[in-house]
Amino acid sequence: MHTERAGPFGSSAPARELQAVCAIHSVVRVLGIGTHCDLGDLYQRLLASGHEVRVHVSDPDSADILLGIVPRGHGLEMDLAWVKQADGLVVFESTGRGEHQDKLRRRGFRVVGGSALGDRLELDRAFGQHAFRQAGLGVAPSHEVSGWDEAIAFVERRPARYVLKFSGEGFASTRTYVGMMDDGRDLLASLRTQKRLWTLDEVPAMVLMDHVMGVEVGVGAYFNGRRFLRPANLDWEHKRFFPGDLGELTGEMGTVVTYRGAERLFDATLARLEPLFRDARHVGYVNLNLELTCRFGYPGFAILSALHTEPWSAVLERLADGGDRDVATREGYAVGVVITVPPFPYPDGYARLSKGAPITFYPLDDLDRASMHYGEVAKVDGELVTAGQIGYVMVVTGAGDDVETARREALARVRKVVVPNMRYRNDIGERLVREDLGRLKRLGWMP
């Protein structure tokens, strides 16, 4: 077989399809504001559909992500005027800018992303857990601690198995520690080690959550400022680096999603938080797993889009305008598999090991191209290469009537991608098929 350089949105995409999209939907101006260009795939698809896009990337180490593919802004105030002139959309990617979003909405901008409340619910873990209890949700016991000494003293006083999580921005997922020993000895060792190696003046705020056995499942939906749009979705994340759920906790190595069968879980959880988000005029995606994500999640948004039957522009405008129409989705499941290169999930050594590596593809059909969702990549002299700061290359999706069909389709497409030293998990969804779907159905949470 030969390889080709064209990516998902290369010159081989049929022009008549793009013309049809542009003829049906009016052109929308979109200004993306983020730290790492996490929604780059969404911007790509908007551009391919004929819309106008500018993006601001605040992190200098992420400035090259999708460079040569997605246009950059010309200055924030200038670009806000540009988008306001056409009554366009401002899309925020990450937490930490919720107050700014609320202010822009009060100035008449159409903003999608989150809110100040969403930031606090996600970043202040203790506040989020309190909100769950106030809404009547059953939550696993959690204990807020400030600093290493307080955390160590707590575990020594109440030895048990806990999950350690940090509150606030800037903490990598690899800092989360899931205790393994029932007497907490491994967690104490981890806490003492981290205390010894800690170099910042700031005392970290942490949450120790009681470890609970069961089926981990997320439920999510889009909020339009007044209510959650239907249908809600279910997701099963795979955060460990290696197959078999071994190795480091990463942001995510792959996920299974569906827009069908979420009603009972949604009604018992997210739906109870609707008044809270309504009072805050939150506009954007909300996901509840063990805690809340009040923004678009990557790669979750890309994997969900494999089940959408309408373009992103329609979904974003409906959210910004408070429209009530359901999100148009298809039956079945989608599976996303993340492709990475060394030294992911750590940034140290990336420039030496993998940055700038070429990305090529075996022959792709149109559906293959549409199923490649770029992450840290760029175009350099017309060639697609790895970029960014950690080696998160792309997520590849497959869809089908059942999880196994979607799995096979996603993995078949992954094998059409060629990157030196690329890694991925080949077991995404296996445990779900083997155990967890059946357990959820027996418990009555899924039909």
Side-chain angles (χ1 to χ4, degrees):
M1 299 179 71
H2 68 281
T3 60
E4 60 178 28
R5 295 286 183 176
F9 301 97
S11 58
S12 54
R16 63 181 180 275
E17 182 178 328
L18 176 59
Q19 291 168 355
V21 170
C22 294
I24 295 171
H25 301 285
S26 60
V27 175
V28 180
R29 282 187 181 177
V30 177
L31 174 62
I33 300 175
T35 305
H36 308 294
C37 201
D38 289 332
L39 299 183
D41 174 73
L42 185 152
Y43 305 139
Q44 263 192 288
R45 289 164 199 272
L46 289 169
L47 287 164
S49 297
H51 302 295
E52 301 176 41
V53 177
R54 294 181 185 178
V55 178
H56 284 263
V57 180
S58 64
D59 183 357
D61 292 332
S62 299
D64 63 342
I65 294 176
L66 291 179
L67 202 61
I69 300 172
V70 173
R72 295 306 196 256
H74 304 302
L76 190 54
E77 288 305 317
M78 184 184 303
D79 290 327
L80 284 170
W82 169 79
V83 80
K84 185 68 178 292
Q85 183 182 37
D87 196 24
L89 299 169
V90 184
V91 178
F92 281 81
E93 298 184 354
S94 50
T95 52
R97 294 185 170 119
E99 288 188 8
H100 190 195
Q101 295 181 57
D102 293 341
K103 290 176 181 177
L104 287 176
R105 290 187 185 105
R106 290 194 290 270
R107 288 171 56 187
F109 285 88
R110 303 162 74 206
V111 180
V112 179
S115 63
L117 173 74
D119 281 0
R120 190 177 179 197
L121 286 168
E122 180 169 349
L123 298 175
D124 185 340
R125 298 185 189 278
F127 176 76
Q129 295 294 310
H130 175 74
F132 295 162
R133 288 189 289 269
Q134 290 290 104
L137 275 65
V139 297
S142 61
H143 319 277
E144 189 175 13
V145 292
S146 180
W148 304 110
D149 291 338
E150 189 174 326
I152 291 167
F154 180 90
V155 180
E156 287 177 335
R157 188 170 64 252
R158 297 178 56 178
R161 190 177 178 187
Y162 298 102
V163 178
L164 170 69
K165 294 196 172 188
F166 291 78
S167 290
E169 291 186 274
F171 292 105
S173 57
T174 48
R175 279 199 176 272
T176 296
Y177 185 77
V178 180
M180 300 298 294
M181 303 176 78
D182 290 338
D183 61 4
R185 279 185 295 135
D186 60 323
L187 176 56
L188 280 171
S190 176
L191 287 167
R192 289 170 181 143
T193 299
Q194 293 199 58
K195 175 188 175 181
R196 186 172 65 252
L197 299 176
W198 188 258
T199 59
L200 302 178
D201 294 331
E202 175 191 2
V203 176
M206 295 169 276
V207 171
L208 291 166
M209 304 176 68
D210 287 11
H211 188 274
V212 177
M213 298 296 291
V215 179
E216 185 175 339
V217 56
V219 57
Y222 298 95
F223 198 84
N224 70 355
R226 296 181 295 105
R227 59 179 288 269
F228 284 108
L229 300 183
R230 307 305 195 270
N233 62 75
L234 299 175
D235 67 77
W236 294 267
E237 297 179 345
H238 299 62
K239 289 186 175 293
R240 294 285 182 181
F241 184 62
F242 291 107
D245 286 328
L246 299 174
E248 300 93 328
L249 280 169
T250 69
E252 196 170 335
M253 290 303 297
T255 298
V256 181
V257 300
T258 182
Y259 274 105
R260 301 296 183 264
E263 294 80 10
R264 187 172 178 198
L265 268 172
F266 173 78
D267 290 342
T269 55
L270 265 190
R272 297 187 184 186
L273 299 172
E274 194 166 79
L276 196 63
F277 287 106
R278 183 185 304 118
D279 290 344
R281 304 287 181 132
H282 183 95
V283 178
Y285 185 68
V286 181
N287 180 271
L288 174 61
N289 194 302
L290 295 174
E291 48 211 8
L292 281 166
T293 299
C294 302
R295 54 179 166 79
F296 288 102
Y298 188 85
F301 83 93
I303 303 170
L304 285 169
S305 73
L307 297 174
H308 290 184
T309 58
E310 62 179 332
W312 271 119
S313 57
V315 176
L316 294 174
E317 287 202 287
R318 190 175 314 133
L319 289 171
D321 296 339
D324 285 327
R325 187 163 60 84
D326 290 348
V327 179
T329 59
R330 58 164 283 185
E331 302 280 339
Y333 294 81
V335 169
V337 177
V338 173
I339 295 176
T340 70
V341 291
F344 181 89
Y346 306 103
D348 302 314
Y350 177 51
R352 177 173 56 87
L353 293 171
S354 299
K355 190 165 183 176
I359 303 169
T360 52
F361 302 87
Y362 286 103
L364 305 174
D365 60 29
D366 292 338
L367 188 54
D368 290 335
R369 292 187 184 90
S371 303
M372 308 280 178
H373 308 266
Y374 290 168
E376 290 187 324
V377 307
K379 273 248 179 105
V380 177
D381 297 330
E383 300 290 333
L384 195 65
V385 299
T386 58
Q389 57 181 309
I390 199 170
Y392 197 110
V393 180
M394 69 178 74
V395 58
V396 180
T397 54
D401 292 336
D402 53 67
V403 178
E404 188 54 42
T405 300
R407 264 179 42 76
R408 287 198 302 268
E409 190 173 278
L411 289 170
R413 291 192 176 114
V414 166
R415 290 189 285 271
K416 296 183 179 183
V417 182
V418 180
V419 190
N421 300 316
M422 63 181 262
R423 299 90 55 85
Y424 61 91
R425 279 184 60 166
N426 59 5
D427 68 338
I428 303 301
E430 278 188 358
R431 176 177 164 178
L432 182 63
V433 172
R434 186 176 65 247
E435 301 175 20
D436 292 348
L437 269 183
R439 292 178 68 186
L440 285 168
K441 291 175 180 178
R442 287 192 299 273
L443 291 168
W445 287 113
M446 291 186 68

